[in-house]
C-alpha cells in the first residue's frame, strides 16, 4: 500500500485540529509517516518531536498545528497503522472468495504490509505500555473482523459450526507471529507462500491422517 492509498488519519474532533485543506492533509500525512519511522527506529521514549519534523521536512510549528504532544501523535499513529492494515485486508477481500481463501487473502495482505512497514511491530508492542486501551482495541477489533468472517463461513456452510471468537484469536496469533518471524526478521520468504502455509493448517490441520 502506498502513501496515496492510505486512509486519511482520524483526529479527535475535540482537539479542533483536523486539517481542513488538501495541503493540511498532506502535511499531516507527512508527519504520521515520519512518526512511524521515528518511533520504529528509536522507540517511544527515545523518539523526539524534532526528529519527527526533521524526517517530515516540516517546521516545528507545523507539528503543533495538529498535535499537542508526542503522546498524541503516537496514539494517532497507532490508529493510522491499524487503519492501513484494515484497508489492505479490505482491498484483498474485494472479490468474493470462499471462506478459507478469504483468510489466506487477508493474511497475505497483512504479510505484505508487514514486509513493507516492519516498524509496525515495535510501534504496536510499545503501545501496550504507552496506551494500553489502544493496544487492546487494536487486537480486539482485528479479532472481531476475523470472527465475522468465520461466522460468514459458517453461514455459507463452508466452515464447521463450532467456530467462535477464541478460534479467531488463535488464528490471529498465528498470523502475528508468522509476520514477525518471516516478514520482519527475514526478507527471504514470500508473503503469499507463507499465507498459503497458514491456510493449509486451517484447511488440513496438523494431525497425521489415519491410515498413514
Amino acid at each position: 500500500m502506498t502513501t496515496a492509498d492510505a486512509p486519511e488519519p482520524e483526529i479527535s474532533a475535540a482537539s479542533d485540529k483536523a486539517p481542513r485543506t488538501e495541503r493540511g492533509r498532506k502535511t499531516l500525512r507527512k508527519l504520521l509517516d515520519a512518526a512511524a519511522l521515528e518511533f520504529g527506529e528509536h522507540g517511544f521514549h527515545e523518539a523526539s518531536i524534532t526528529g519527527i519534523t526533521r524526517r517530515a521536512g516540516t517546521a516545528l510549528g507545523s507539528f503543533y498545528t495538529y498535535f499537542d504532544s508526542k503522546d498524541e501523535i503516537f496514539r494517532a499513529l497507532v490508529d493510522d497503522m491499524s487503519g492501513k492494515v484494515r484497508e489492505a485486508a479490505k482491498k484483498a477481500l474485494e472479490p468474493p472468495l470462499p471462506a478459507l481463501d478469504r483468510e489466506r487473502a487477508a493474511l497475505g495482505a497483512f504479510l505484505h504490509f508487514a514486509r513493507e512497514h516492519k516498524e509496525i511491530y515495535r510501534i504496536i508492542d510499545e503501545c501496550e505500555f504507552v496506551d494500553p486501551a489502544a493496544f487492546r482495541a487494536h487486537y480486539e477489533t482485528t479479532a472481531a473482523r476475523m470472527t465475522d468472517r468465520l461466522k460468514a463461513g459458517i453461514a455459507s456452510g463452508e466452515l464447521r459450526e463450532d467456530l467462535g471468537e477464541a478460534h479467531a484469536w488463535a488464528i490471529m496469533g498465528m498470523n502475528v507471529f508468522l509476520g514477525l518471524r518471516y516478514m520482519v526478521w527475514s526478507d527471504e520468504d514470500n508473503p503469499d507462500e507463507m499465507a498459503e502455509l497458514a491456510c493449509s493448517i486451517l484447511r488440513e490441520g496438523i494431525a497425521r491422517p489415519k491410515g498413514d
Side-chain angles (χ1 to χ4, degrees):
M1 175 182 289
T2 65
T3 297
D5 296 324
E8 181 180 329
E10 296 182 1
I11 297 181
S12 171
S15 70
D16 196 30
K17 292 193 172 188
R20 295 177 173 81
T21 66
E22 181 62 24
R23 180 179 179 183
R25 286 188 286 271
K26 288 181 178 179
T27 299
L28 177 57
R29 182 75 262 158
K30 288 180 181 179
L31 287 168
L32 286 170
D33 289 344
L37 297 175
E38 180 74 5
F39 288 123
E41 182 176 334
H42 297 295
F44 176 79
H45 294 292
E46 297 300 322
S48 68
I49 292 173
T50 55
I52 293 171
T53 55
R54 183 173 61 251
R55 290 175 187 268
T58 63
L60 185 61
S62 296
F63 178 92
Y64 291 103
T65 299
Y66 303 103
F67 303 103
D68 291 327
S69 65
K70 183 171 72 171
D71 294 63
E72 191 172 281
I73 193 173
F74 183 84
R75 292 185 178 94
L77 177 62
V78 172
D79 288 342
D80 183 63
M81 299 200 83
S82 294
K84 287 181 178 180
V85 173
R86 181 173 62 252
E87 290 300 312
K90 181 179 178 180
K91 186 175 181 179
L93 297 174
E94 284 177 355
L97 294 170
L100 289 178
D101 287 346
R102 286 199 298 269
E103 294 309 309
R104 177 178 50 76
L107 175 55
F110 168 70
L111 294 179
H112 277 284
F113 182 86
R115 170 64 57 79
E116 297 173 5
H117 303 277
K118 298 177 186 290
E119 66 275 6
I120 188 174
Y121 273 83
R122 182 170 188 174
I123 291 167
I124 297 299
D125 285 349
E126 291 203 345
C127 184
E128 180 180 7
F129 305 100
V130 177
D131 189 346
F135 175 79
R136 179 169 178 169
H138 169 77
Y139 284 112
E140 286 183 336
T141 55
T142 301
R145 293 194 300 272
M146 297 182 76
T147 301
D148 287 342
R149 293 201 301 267
L150 294 182
K151 289 180 179 178
I154 294 171
S156 66
E158 298 174 80
L159 302 179
R160 71 189 210 208
E161 295 183 354
D162 64 338
L163 299 179
E165 182 186 54
H167 295 91
W169 280 87
I171 295 169
M172 181 173 65
M174 173 178 67
N175 295 353
V176 167
F177 280 98
L178 278 173
L180 179 63
R181 168 61 180 85
Y182 294 102
M183 300 300 114
V184 177
W185 291 352
S186 173
D187 289 318
E188 298 176 359
D189 298 279
N190 183 285
D192 296 319
E193 291 178 358
M194 298 310 300
E196 173 54 31
L197 180 150
C199 190
S200 73
I201 296 177
L202 301 182
R203 184 170 55 244
E204 303 166 14
I206 60 173
R208 183 174 181 177
K210 294 181 179 180
D212 285 3

